[in-house]
Amino acid sequence: MTGSAQLKQVGFYKSAEDVSAAAGSTQYSWEPMAVRYLEQGMTVLVSPGWVHDLLGRQAKIICQYSTLTDGKWIWPSDLVYYLRTYHVVLPDEFLAHMASHGWVVPELGEAELDAICEQLEMECGLS
C-alpha cells in the first residue's frame, strides 16, 4: 500500500437497517474462511467503547470497537460477529481479494502500518 492508496471499507454498519439489508438466510460456504481472515487483520485503531448488536436480537455487547486492515481493505471488529450471527453478504471484490491471498491476511511491514495509521488519522481529523 502506498501513502496515497485509498483503503476500501467493508462492514461499517451504521443502523439496524444496514445490517438487515446485508443479512443472509444461511451460512455461506466461504464464511468460515472469511471469519478466519477477518480475525487475522492487523488492528490499526482501538476505541475504549463497546459495540452492541444493532439488530438487538441478541441484546448484548459484541466486542470492544477496533478497526482492522489487511493493507488494502479496512473493517470494524464487529464484522466477524455480524458474519457469524446474521451471515451478512460481503462484496464480491473483497471475497476475491481474500481468496487470492489463500484466506490469510498478508503480513504488513511497519512502514505500511504507519502509512495506514497516518491516513486514518487524517481522515478522522486526528492529526
Side-chain angles (χ1 to χ4, degrees):
M1 180 186 145
T2 64
S4 62
Q6 189 68 19
L7 293 168
K8 297 180 181 189
Q9 296 184 9
V10 61
F12 287 91
Y13 305 118
K14 296 185 183 343
S15 68
E17 292 78 25
D18 291 344
V19 177
S20 290
S25 57
T26 59
Q27 182 178 15
Y28 301 101
S29 60
W30 48 258
E31 199 170 303
M33 296 171 292
V35 163
R36 186 177 66 238
Y37 187 95
L38 293 169
E39 289 175 333
Q40 294 171 10
M42 298 293 298
T43 302
V44 289
L45 288 174
V46 178
S47 167
W50 297 93
V51 181
H52 294 267
D53 184 338
L54 288 172
L55 292 179
R57 294 181 191 164
Q58 303 298 322
K60 64 178 183 177
I61 292 174
I62 297 171
C63 59
Q64 185 174 9
Y65 184 83
S66 61
T67 304
L68 300 100
T69 189
D70 63 3
K72 182 173 181 181
W73 288 82
I74 191 162
W75 59 90
S77 52
D78 58 347
L79 182 54
V80 169
Y81 171 83
Y82 289 119
L83 182 55
R84 281 186 176 143
T85 306
Y86 302 115
H87 312 293
V88 294
V89 177
L90 298 177
D92 289 339
E93 182 182 3
F94 186 45
L95 291 171
H97 171 74
M98 291 187 289
S100 74
H101 289 284
W103 303 95
V104 175
V105 170
E107 282 196 41
L108 300 175
E110 191 174 331
E112 289 173 294
L113 286 173
D114 286 347
I116 291 167
C117 290
E118 286 175 18
Q119 179 180 341
L120 292 174
E121 286 174 0
M122 287 179 15
E123 289 174 6
C124 296
L126 300 174
S127 59

